[in-house]
Amino acid sequence: MSRIRVECRHRYADGFDLHAAFESGDGVTALFGPSGSGKTTTLHILAGLLRPTAGRVLLGERVLLDTAAGLFVPPERRRIGLVFQDHLLFPHLSVRANLRYGLVRRPGRRIDLERAVEILELRQVLDRHPHTLSGGERQRAALGRAILRGPELLLLDEPLTALDEPLKERILSYLERVLAEWRIPTLFVSHDQADVRRLAEHVVVLEAGRVVDAGPTAATLDRAVILEMKSPPGPVNLLRVDGVQQVEGHWEGRVRGQRIQLPALAGAPDSAVFVQFLPSDVTLTCDTVAGLSVRNQLTGCVRDVILLPGRAFVAVDVGQLLWAEVTPEALRELGLRVDSLVTCLVKTSAMRILR
């Protein structure tokens, strides 16, 4: 059953016209698209912060909005938790009081305050006020207040955008903990492919106010960023690496049993890490190679070949799906087609670690 169903139109005075129609389920769904595509407007309609020109919104069996029937449920009665990228904590209240505000303002499921404090590691800042907190502490406090309302749906509006990379990685890990602990259906806005691939099970792709695609994250996002968007950025590779350890002075792990050498880490991670790199960082060969400075050679089977003017994208299953970008000439010379066996060469220096 769909957790949320949306069919809305909204037109701004400057001429921007949003037409959002999609459904999402009980897991994590991303609203993905470039700046100005209508992602935040859609989120504000769902939260009740914006009345659209026309449309209907259902949360489960509850109708939150039906312009034709003159029905509009105000934000405080929607049982929706909302986290903005600029946090919006009450500045005159301590972290503890901000969290308790979430408790007294919700009619839905009960979330234990002590458990939320533990999961988000907020105990050391409970008696401090927002202006004394770091960006990451404010984000965690805002997330805690939102989940303590016991929402039926959690909305995250670009929660990682204003953060530098190390802080972003820490907040991502907290988000993953929250989603695993309470299984709250979540809709989050992002223009970052890596964040979407890491967190979301489904994605809705928006461009210029229209939904251009929707479905399971990997296949839908790959299709959209290669073929369907007006200015397709191309895919980003994100591989999960397990069993990370230091071996003879370097770090390495496994991608579904295949060894992969990693950039330097500050210390041993207590769980899997993710590595991000571009399709243009991948070299393909059909032969076994030796004597190369490239440390990583992942063997797999071609699952898709997409030929575009001047370039081609090749999807390779190495235990996880990996994209390579090659020239049409290289594609022909290698004779690549679906089910071809290939080796993917990736320089360690091209990888970025996401923990």
Side-chain angles (χ1 to χ4, degrees), residues 48 107 118 146 204:
E118 178 185 350
V204 177

Side-chain angles (χ1 to χ4, degrees), residues 74-138:
E76 66 273 14
R77 291 176 49 207
R78 294 198 174 197
R79 300 178 211 163
I80 290 176
L82 178 60
V83 178
F84 293 98
Q85 61 180 339
D86 49 3
H87 320 304
L88 294 183
L89 294 168
F90 297 117
H92 63 292
L93 297 180
S94 67
V95 170
R96 188 190 309 273
N98 267 282
L99 295 176
R100 285 179 173 167
Y101 180 87
L103 280 174
V104 300
R105 296 285 291 183
R106 57 100 182 106
R109 62 189 286 196
R110 179 168 180 80
I111 303 292
D112 182 69
L113 174 61
E114 287 300 310
R115 184 59 176 159
V117 168
E118 178 185 350
I119 290 289
L120 292 168
E121 297 183 1
L122 290 169
R123 193 166 305 282
Q124 299 302 315
V125 299
L126 285 175
D127 295 319
R128 290 167 54 185
H129 283 70
H131 73 276
T132 71
L133 303 178
S134 69
E137 290 165 342
R138 286 195 298 272

